[in-house]
Amino acid sequence: MSCAATVVLPLVVVPAQGAASELSAGVSFGWIQAGTAQRLAVGPHAGISWHIERDLLFKVHDLCSVVPPIQAGGAGVYNHTSVALGYAWKNVDLSAGPSAAIYLMPACGNTLCGRIAGMAVGGHAQINAYVAGPLGVSVTANADWIGGSSRVLPGQASVTVVAGPVLRWSAK
């Protein structure tokens, strides 16, 4: 999924959904650790969730992390899409589940630095706390297994942790 899909897909899906759905979107700031170097990560995120039972959620979430070109190695993109189950209270929701990522970014391994590209699978966890009506704070963590046959990162973990404001819309 591309960064543009992060914003467009939820807007297309929302009108078709029935009762008890919720859309959230925001911007996050944090870091990506792939190999030995941490990189600044900024970008949009969006999700849609449905209440399965009273407080249980099913959620689809997309996080598009952009590595700005202000760092050594240049710009990059790391896009996560996840499906998750969660629990919701009045002003907080917590979810976790599997994720898939597509990436093209600079990275450094133990001996080499270079650009890496590919797909990865992993896990996703997110907490949204709404502090002023529909406005809140979102914290997202993803851990993925990347690299495969890459000479830069031959089979290593990647961790993304970002936080930022989130806004939600509900349909009941």
Side-chain angles (χ1 to χ4, degrees), residues 3-171:
C3 290
T6 299
V7 177
V8 174
L9 180 63
L11 297 177
V12 171
V13 173
V14 170
Q17 301 309 316
S21 63
E22 192 170 279
L23 173 68
S24 62
V27 177
S28 295
F29 306 91
W31 56 269
I32 295 176
Q33 173 95 33
T36 59
Q38 288 185 6
R39 308 220 178 254
L40 175 66
V42 298
H45 62 90
I48 187 164
S49 58
W50 297 271
H51 288 267
I52 300 170
E53 292 286 329
R54 180 181 163 154
D55 296 328
L56 294 178
L57 297 175
F58 174 75
K59 189 177 220 178
V60 177
H61 186 259
D62 191 74
L63 168 66
C64 182
S65 298
V66 176
V67 175
I70 59 173
Q71 302 163 91
V77 176
Y78 204 107
N79 195 84
H80 288 95
T81 301
S82 63
V83 294
L85 291 177
Y87 194 81
W89 296 270
K90 182 179 179 184
N91 294 320
V92 176
D93 68 68
L94 175 66
S95 60
S99 67
I102 298 172
Y103 58 89
L104 171 62
M105 60 179 276
C108 290
N110 293 331
T111 58
L112 291 173
C113 289
R115 296 192 68 73
I116 58 172
M119 295 175 61
V121 294
H124 163 87
Q126 180 179 17
I127 186 166
N128 294 328
Y130 298 95
V131 295
L135 182 61
V137 176
S138 179
V139 178
T140 302
N142 289 288
D144 300 310
W145 187 255
I146 65 170
S149 62
S150 167
R151 292 188 343 193
V152 175
L153 293 177
Q156 294 210 8
S158 168
V159 176
T160 305
V161 178
V162 293
V166 63
L167 187 61
R168 72 175 168 183
W169 298 268
S170 296

